[in-house]
Amino acid sequence: MTGVAIRCHGTIPVKQGTRELEGRVLHMKSPEEVKPFLVHDDPFVRQFAVRYFDDLRSTDPDLMPLVLQAVKRSSDDERRTLLAFSTRFLLTQETLDEIVLLMIENPSLRDWCERLIIAAPADLLESNPKYISQLTPEMRKLANQRRALAGLDGQALLSRLKNHSESGRGRYIGDFDYHFGVYIARELAVRSDAPTDLIRQWVDTEYPDDYDGYDDIYGCVLAGMLRFEDMVPRLIGYLHWDDADLLTEETAAALTRIGTEQIVESVASEFQEGSWHYRLWATDVLGTIKHRASEQAALDLLSLEENEEIRTSLAEGLCKLLSVEGIPAVQQVLDRGYAEWMLDLREPLYVNCVMNGIDLPQLPQWKLELQEAEQAYRERLAHERKSREPQGPHGPQGPQTLSTSQTSQISTTSQVWNGSIGPETVVNPVKVGRNDPCPCGSGKKYKKCCGA
């Protein structure tokens, strides 16, 4: 993807030697231009950059080496965030070697490193049994399950996915290994012998309103991975489903992967008549399809939108696009008031300005306040984790058997990723909004992590 020329009409002060805005042609940054920011000196910029590529569902093999460079220069808390947002990045033999070494040298990162390892392509797992032996027993079981896919052809992989999907009928995402199905879909999508006609028929299936399975969701995943442009109308229709968060989330991701201007135009054309739920997910699509049309649509829709949450999400989307022309509009949202429970809008705006060389006078103060807020959040998270440790007469005790009532309150990050209880079990988790930072410490929004 190359930069897209835009013309800026705002009056934004800029540093000497950076882009001059007034009356000049600007360019939205392409993914290639964003890559160096993965190893930027500013941790807010590094974390924004890794989220940028995670949103894109990018399979660029250059990404993971850069993330691992960033991890080496980061604090433990930031390392977890960087690794959490890298689980969809493509691994090579070299990066797998580095991740295993990182896991051995940094026990506190074992959980996140193991998730990266089991997300490696099946043929890479097949050729590295020695690394699978380094995993905890539960993760080793998952790795071997995925490793076995390397010997299946395209037809067999599709059958495996359908059977796995059927096993999820009537079950919640945490009650079976949903992400194994996504992994199978990824393996299938890169096979030269993938039966695309059969897959297209599966994706195009009509489901009743009371359908309680996962075929439609896995179909969305495959439609995106295989870039089925003819399925775009069906996918956009799914965005209108108000009671299916997982389906709409995977639909938004599929539309991002396909990423055409037609999608932007179609999503925007239905925006004003759409429900609050549709508009919220549509802003995700507009903020992740890196196209000039997305920027213009977000600007136009923001000027008309009255709902505070949707305005906030559109403003965030402009920052995720690294829109220079959108900076004055986002500043207006800040001044007017926004849904602070969703996010701190200063952070994406701050990063947008830094990455585009825009010198707003508020930037130093924003950075200081963001650092203080981040530190307070991390301290609160550490305190909450410590308060959940079983207490004996002389302080925290080791693992104990949980009562039935305690077991019913278990929530884990590993359940979200692999459908099983893993090493980061959280008892009596803090109640948190779906758009708040997840208390597991991943840095993801709760709705896209443990709240999924």
Side-chain angles (χ1 to χ4, degrees), residues 258-291:
I258 299 170
T260 63
E261 187 173 354
Q262 173 213 349
I263 292 174
V264 174
E265 292 171 352
S266 297
V267 167
S269 69
E270 300 178 25
F271 194 92
Q272 288 184 280
E273 300 301 320
S275 66
W276 181 90
H277 183 276
Y278 171 84
R279 300 201 316 279
L280 183 66
W281 284 106
T283 60
D284 260 17
V285 175
L286 295 177
T288 52
I289 294 181
K290 312 305 181 184
H291 197 287

Side-chain angles (χ1 to χ4, degrees), residues 54 57 88 173 178-179 217 220-221 238-239 241 244-257 277 281 284-285 416 434 444-449 451-452:
D54 179 61
R57 303 298 197 269
R88 282 188 281 254
I173 185 174
Y178 168 76
H179 284 277
I217 299 173
C220 281
V221 173
Y238 284 149
L239 287 184
W241 288 26
D245 261 12
L246 182 58
L247 176 62
T248 45
E249 181 168 343
E250 293 292 10
T251 296
L255 291 169
T256 296
R257 282 190 175 103
H277 183 276
W281 284 106
D284 260 17
V285 175
V416 176
R434 289 175 58 78
K444 289 177 177 264
K445 291 181 182 179
Y446 180 66
K447 74 175 183 181
K448 294 188 176 181
C449 193

Side-chain angles (χ1 to χ4, degrees), residues 288-308:
T288 52
I289 294 181
K290 312 305 181 184
H291 197 287
R292 171 66 178 101
S294 300
E295 179 189 44
Q296 191 58 57
L299 285 166
D300 293 343
L301 294 168
L302 181 57
S303 69
L304 299 171
E305 183 60 55
E306 291 299 325
N307 180 272
E308 187 173 72

Side-chain angles (χ1 to χ4, degrees), residues 423-443:
E424 287 197 354
T425 301
V426 179
V427 181
N428 295 326
V430 177
K431 291 183 179 179
V432 61
R434 289 175 58 78
N435 285 290
D436 289 348
C438 190
C440 77
S442 68

Side-chain angles (χ1 to χ4, degrees), residues 386-400:
K386 187 174 181 180
S387 69
R388 291 193 293 266
E389 293 177 358
Q391 296 290 318
H394 304 292
Q397 295 180 337
Q400 296 181 341

Side-chain angles (χ1 to χ4, degrees), residues 145 159-181 184 202 211-215 218:
Q145 181 187 44
S159 296
R160 183 75 175 87
L161 178 58
K162 288 182 175 182
N163 290 337
H164 182 72
S165 180
E166 184 62 26
S167 74
R169 287 292 296 269
R171 300 167 73 184
Y172 288 105
I173 185 174
D175 295 333
F176 91 117
D177 192 350
Y178 168 76
H179 284 277
F180 180 54
I184 299 171
W202 193 42
Y211 177 67
D212 62 351
Y214 289 84
D215 283 11
Y218 287 136

Side-chain angles (χ1 to χ4, degrees), residues 324-360:
V324 177
E325 192 169 356
I327 290 175
V330 178
Q331 286 183 278
Q332 288 177 11
V333 174
L334 273 175
D335 294 341
R336 176 176 170 178
Y338 68 100
E340 295 183 31
W341 66 269
M342 292 179 70
L343 77 159
D344 188 335
L345 193 53
R346 294 173 303 173
E347 182 173 339
L349 180 55
Y350 165 79
V351 174
N352 187 13
C353 290
V354 171
M355 291 178 69
N356 280 296
I358 307 301
D359 187 16
L360 295 183

